[in-house]
Amino acid sequence: MPSPAGALLATSDLHVGYAENRPLVERLRPTSDQDWLVVAGDVGEVAADIEWALRLLSGRFATVVWAPGNHELWTPRQDPVQLRGVQRYEYLVRLCRSLGVLTPEDPYPVWTGPGGPVRVVPLFLLYDYSFRPAGTSTKAEALARAHATGVVCTDEYLLHPDPYPSRDAWCAARTAETERRLRDCPPDPPLLLVNHYPLVRDPTSVLRYPEFAQWCGTERTADWHRRFRVAGVVYGHLHIPRTTRYDGVRFEEVSIGYPREWSRRGHPRGLLRQILPAPASPGLGIVPSS
Ligand SMILES: [Fe+2]
Ligand SMILES: [Fe+2]
């Protein structure tokens, strides 16, 4: 259990566009009035839904830090907010600021509670089709394989990269800019990187459809957990909640997932994952009382 002095908790993939997921979000409560919450993307698709969830959470947790998922960046036809690409991202950043939620565009906050100090770094990097299926060596080949097998991410139709020519070009720009910012961070305190996608490819090896990995990150970040002084990595997107270690660095996949997923397997790791202080047993999550 978290100490009375507060805990840094994490979740992702709230997908509040599904009515069944809203009661889960309503159950997300801090364990003390000093808890921070990290939200690693895929809150929802429609701007009003995203606002509903982030407003609820920002009213409960001392600090909420958000990194965008691919779903927030969709422009669904039914959304009155029809902004695309960078303009949509900037709209969401403004929305977060109006709620007091921290984004990748803000100075990185430092968690000084139990397990700290740690600099909390929300990232917005996207993906670039470099996690390609075996036997393919270009983005075109990877996409062709996906279309042939029928495993095509909806991003191809709803996540517009405007004004960039492609999602991978947007990813390249974001990655370069973020890398510069990380290089400028002092070595102390260490970083807690929060990204919608795993920074390394390894976690995608357990995907049911390997063709889907091309929408799950970028090789550009493969060594970030070694190059920078990283205390841990929080990610989502895969909807495979678990804890793994790469080169000794703790990676936490903290997704809640779709109703069709959690109705089958439940939430054995809880709805909120305790990141700091690092739990003695990494198998334990926090299941808020209903
Ligand atoms: Fe998701
Ligand atoms: Fe996602």
Side-chain angles (χ1 to χ4, degrees):
M1 288 298 292
S3 79
L8 191 153
L9 307 172
T11 191
S12 76
D13 299 84
L14 283 55
H15 290 292
V16 300
Y18 290 88
E20 303 94 316
N21 275 28
R22 290 190 170 227
L24 300 185
V25 175
E26 285 167 346
R27 285 171 56 193
L28 301 179
R29 290 186 179 279
T31 56
S32 83
D33 57 9
Q34 293 162 71
D35 285 9
W36 285 24
L37 179 67
V38 161
V39 181
D42 278 5
V43 173
E45 295 87 19
V46 171
D49 288 348
I50 299 165
E51 179 172 355
W52 172 80
L54 291 179
R55 184 182 297 280
L56 181 89
L57 297 171
S58 65
R60 292 180 177 179
F61 289 82
T63 295
V64 175
V65 181
W66 167 80
N70 50 316
H71 282 243
E72 284 98 327
L73 297 170
W74 288 2
T75 307
R77 203 165 297 154
Q78 73 274 23
D79 192 344
V81 178
Q82 281 295 299
L83 297 169
R84 296 158 63 108
V86 171
Q87 285 192 344
R88 186 172 183 89
Y89 173 61
E90 289 173 349
Y91 172 88
L92 293 168
V93 168
R94 286 195 300 276
L95 168 65
C96 284
R97 286 185 171 154
S98 76
L99 300 171
V101 171
L102 300 176
T103 76
E105 305 315 305
D106 294 306
Y108 301 138
V110 175
W111 165 256
T112 55
V118 164
R119 194 180 305 277
V120 180
V121 178
L123 301 168
F124 171 38
L125 304 173
L126 273 171
Y127 52 82
D128 63 1
Y129 308 85
S130 53
F131 294 173
R132 288 186 279 272
T136 65
S137 54
T138 64
K139 172 189 171 185
E141 286 176 11
L143 271 175
R145 174 77 64 82
H147 280 279
T149 52
V151 178
V152 178
C153 182
T154 308
D155 290 4
E156 294 299 307
Y157 311 102
L158 292 181
L159 200 169
H160 308 292
D162 318 29
Y164 291 95
S166 63
R167 283 166 291 277
D168 32 317
W170 194 3
C171 171
R174 289 294 319 187
T175 308
E177 185 189 320
T178 305
E179 210 170 346
R180 257 194 310 277
R181 241 182 117 183
L182 292 182
R183 273 202 303 264
D184 287 346
C185 284
D188 278 308
L191 312 176
L192 177 70
L193 301 180
V194 180
N195 192 35
H196 187 53
Y197 308 100
L199 296 174
V200 296
R201 182 171 180 164
D202 308 58
T204 68
S205 64
V206 294
L207 285 173
R208 183 189 295 189
Y209 302 106
E211 297 83 5
F212 191 74
Q214 61 192 294
W215 291 282
C216 296
T218 167
E219 295 286 1
R220 293 170 193 271
T221 58
D223 65 352
W224 283 20
H225 65 293
R226 296 191 304 266
R227 266 178 60 202
F228 302 107
R229 190 165 170 240
V230 173
V233 176
V234 173
Y235 69 99
H237 185 62
L238 302 186
H239 295 201
I240 304 173
R242 60 180 180 151
T243 305
T244 50
R245 282 184 179 271
Y246 305 105
D247 304 297
V249 178
R250 177 179 160 216
F251 281 61
E252 295 277 5
E253 207 279 15
V254 296
S255 60
I256 286 180
Y258 297 131
R260 66 171 180 271
E261 295 165 330
W262 58 256
S263 63
R264 200 174 55 238
R265 67 183 178 209
H267 287 105
R269 300 295 308 275
L271 301 175
L272 293 173
R273 188 81 49 84
Q274 184 172 317
I275 307 299
L276 295 171
S281 166
L284 290 178
I286 294 175
V287 185
S289 54
S290 52

